[in-house]
Amino acid sequence: MALAANPVIACRPHLFSRCTHSLSSSPYYSPTVAVLFQAIDPPVINGVRKPRKPGGYQDSGADIAYALRQKGVRVLTPTPSPSDSSHEGWSFPDTEEGIYSAVKQGATHLWANTVLFASHPLQTSGRLTPLASNLYVVGQPPRLVENFDDKAFLNDKLRELGGFTLPRAWMVHPDNLPQIVKQIDRYPIVGKPVRGRGSHGVRVCHDAAQLQQHAETLLAESPLIMLEAFLRGEEATITVMPPTPSRPDYWSMVPVTRFNHADGIAPYNGVVAVTANSRAVTEDEMKDPAYNKAMRQCERVARLIGATAPIRVDVRRFKEGSEFALFDINMKPNMTGPGRPGREDQASLTAIAAAAVGWDYGTLLQRILEGAQPLDRFRNYRSPF
C-alpha cells in the first residue's frame, strides 16, 4: 500500500475510504463539529428526484449535536443556546452559505446529516477548496451517494459481480409496464421507487390489478420504478461501520430483527418508533449461520463501494428458516437517538445495534466521528464501476 503525500494518511490511491489516520497528529483529539441539515432539494438525477424529508433531518441533527455535547465534544450551533426540546437551532443548512458560516465560526468537522449528490456544495464550493485538506467530513462522498442511492443501479451491479444474495427484480418505466405485469406469474410483488426515503411509496401488491395501479401511481412521481419478489421470511437490518483509526476495516454490528409489519412492510419510523418493532438479535439466535453469511455480504458491499460512514442494509429471508437476501442498501441510515427531552424512544436501528455491543448513543456518534475524512479526499472519490 503506497503512502499518500500527506504522511498523516496512509491510503490506497483509488479508494480513499480505506485510509487510516494517525491519531497523534490528527484533529480527532479536539474536533469542533457542525452538523448540517437538508436545506437543498435534491436534483433530478436520471429523471428521478429523491423525496425530501420534511424538516430536512433537523430532528436527528439536534439529537446528534446534543449527544456529542454530552460527551464533551465541542459542537457549534447556529443558535447560541438552542432549546433541548426543539429540533431547530442545532444544525446548519447545507447550502454553501450555511456550510461556510459554520467553517468561519471554527468548525473542523462537518457532520453531513443530509442527502448528498454530485452538485452539492460540499463537492463543488470553491470557497471551501482552500480548506479542503484540513476540513473533515462525516458522511458519504456526494458522488458515491448519487451513484448508489439508485437502488436499481447498485443491485444490478451486485448481480453482475455475483456472490450476493438478492431477490428477483424488474426495472419498470411507462413503456414496459404492461409487458412486465403480464410476465409476472407469482405474487406478492413489492413496488417501490428507485430513489426512495424510508417506506415512502413501498407497497406489497397481491395481484396484477394492485400491481398495475400501484406502479402507475409510482410512475406518476418518477419515470423509473422497481419491482421485487416479496420476501416472506424474517426481516432484519445490518449496519456496517466504516474503517476508523481503531478498527481499520469494515465490520457489521449485530443484526436488528424487525417485527409488527404493516401490510408486509416495516412502517416508517416517523409513524411507529423503531423501538416498538425492532430488537437486536440475541447471542443464541446468532448461532444461525444465515446471519453471519448476510453480515459478510453487507461488509463486502460497503468495501466495494468505498463507504466512509455507516451504511444500513435491509435483509429478509425468502421464507422462514432460509438464507437472507439483501433488498435495500441505505447510504444514509437514520441516526436519531435518545438524550434530548421527549426523545427516549427515538433510538434508530443503528443505535439499537450499537447498544447490543455496549455503546450508548453518544458513544456510537463518537465512533462514527473517528471515521471522518478530509474534504479533499471526500471530493476525490471515484466509483469502482
Side-chain angles (χ1 to χ4, degrees), residues 238-258:
I238 298 170
T239 296
V240 182
M241 294 290 284
T244 63
S246 58
R247 195 161 183 174
D249 197 6
Y250 295 94
W251 62 281
S252 294
M253 287 189 176
V254 176
V256 172
T257 189
R258 315 293 310 276

Side-chain angles (χ1 to χ4, degrees), residues 186-189 203-211 230 263-264:
R186 184 173 296 180
Y187 287 84
I189 294 290
R203 181 182 175 188
V204 178
C205 303
H206 295 275
D207 55 40
Q210 282 187 0
L211 181 59
F230 178 64
D263 298 322

Side-chain angles (χ1 to χ4, degrees), residues 264-339:
I265 303 295
Y268 173 52
N269 70 292
V271 176
V272 179
V274 297
T275 51
N277 59 22
S278 312
R279 62 167 177 81
V281 171
T282 66
E283 185 175 349
D284 190 57
E285 289 169 329
M286 282 296 297
K287 294 174 183 175
D288 181 346
Y291 289 112
N292 189 271
K293 181 179 178 180
M295 291 164 72
R296 301 294 83 79
Q297 289 191 22
C298 293
E299 290 162 6
R300 283 184 59 207
V301 172
R303 192 176 294 114
L304 173 70
I305 65 176
T308 56
I311 66 168
R312 204 193 74 228
V313 184
D314 297 332
V315 302
R316 197 160 182 171
R317 298 182 194 260
F318 291 96
K319 59 183 180 179
E320 290 305 322
S322 77
E323 65 181 349
F324 287 95
L326 284 57
F327 73 89
D328 199 355
I329 300 165
N330 300 284
M331 299 300 115
K332 185 195 173 303
N334 179 36
M335 205 52 69
T336 57

Side-chain angles (χ1 to χ4, degrees), residues 64-368:
I64 291 166
Y66 180 91
L68 285 175
R69 275 190 175 175
Q70 295 298 107
K71 288 291 185 178
V73 177
R74 182 166 187 250
V75 178
L76 298 177
T77 57
T79 299
S81 299
S83 168
D84 293 352
S85 59
S86 174
H87 298 341
E88 297 179 349
W90 287 95
S91 50
F92 292 80
D94 66 342
T95 59
E96 182 179 36
E97 191 57 44
I99 297 168
Y100 196 65
S101 171
V103 172
K104 284 193 298 183
Q105 293 177 50
T108 62
H109 287 60
L110 301 172
W111 192 300
N113 188 45
T114 183
V115 173
L116 300 176
F117 39 86
S119 59
H120 193 277
L122 279 174
Q123 181 69 40
T124 61
S125 171
R127 298 169 78 182
L128 298 177
T129 300
L131 311 170
S133 61
N134 295 313
L135 184 61
Y136 284 70
V137 182
V138 176
Q140 309 290 5
R143 289 173 179 159
L144 180 154
V145 178
E146 180 157 322
N147 282 340
F148 301 128
D149 233 9
D150 185 326
K151 303 177 192 307
F153 175 78
L154 179 54
N155 286 8
D156 280 350
K157 291 299 182 184
L158 297 180
R159 286 189 179 92
E160 289 174 14
L161 286 171
F164 297 95
T165 307
L166 299 158
R168 189 180 181 197
W170 300 262
M171 299 306 113
V172 177
H173 49 76
D175 293 339
N176 74 353
L177 174 59
Q179 175 188 348
I180 297 295
V181 171
K182 186 175 180 180
Q183 76 180 54
I184 292 175
D185 58 1
R186 184 173 296 180
Y187 287 84
I189 294 290
V190 179
K192 63 185 181 182
V194 296
R195 289 183 183 271
R197 178 184 59 76
S199 57
H200 172 82
V202 182
R203 181 182 175 188
V204 178
C205 303
H206 295 275
D207 55 40
Q210 282 187 0
L211 181 59
Q212 178 81 28
Q213 181 183 40
H214 184 54
E216 289 175 354
T217 300
L218 291 176
L219 287 167
E221 300 179 0
S222 168
L224 182 67
I225 65 171
M226 195 171 176
L227 307 181
E228 284 182 343
F230 178 64
L231 302 168
R232 299 173 179 271
E234 174 198 3
E235 181 176 342
T237 190
I238 298 170
T239 296
V240 182
M241 294 290 284
T244 63
S246 58
R247 195 161 183 174
D249 197 6
Y250 295 94
W251 62 281
S252 294
M253 287 189 176
V254 176
V256 172
T257 189
R258 315 293 310 276
F259 45 88
N260 292 343
H261 289 58
D263 298 322
I265 303 295
Y268 173 52
N269 70 292
V271 176
V272 179
V274 297
T275 51
N277 59 22
S278 312
R279 62 167 177 81
V281 171
T282 66
E283 185 175 349
D284 190 57
E285 289 169 329
M286 282 296 297
K287 294 174 183 175
D288 181 346
Y291 289 112
N292 189 271
K293 181 179 178 180
M295 291 164 72
R296 301 294 83 79
Q297 289 191 22
C298 293
E299 290 162 6
R300 283 184 59 207
V301 172
R303 192 176 294 114
L304 173 70
I305 65 176
T308 56
I311 66 168
R312 204 193 74 228
V313 184
D314 297 332
V315 302
R316 197 160 182 171
R317 298 182 194 260
F318 291 96
K319 59 183 180 179
E320 290 305 322
S322 77
E323 65 181 349
F324 287 95
L326 284 57
F327 73 89
D328 199 355
I329 300 165
N330 300 284
M331 299 300 115
K332 185 195 173 303
N334 179 36
M335 205 52 69
T336 57
R340 296 188 297 122
R343 302 286 288 176
E344 292 79 14
D345 66 345
Q346 289 302 305
S348 61
L349 293 165
T350 297
I352 291 172
V357 297
W359 294 351
D360 63 16
Y361 176 58
T363 301
L364 167 65
L365 299 176
Q366 288 179 300
R367 296 295 184 267
I368 295 172

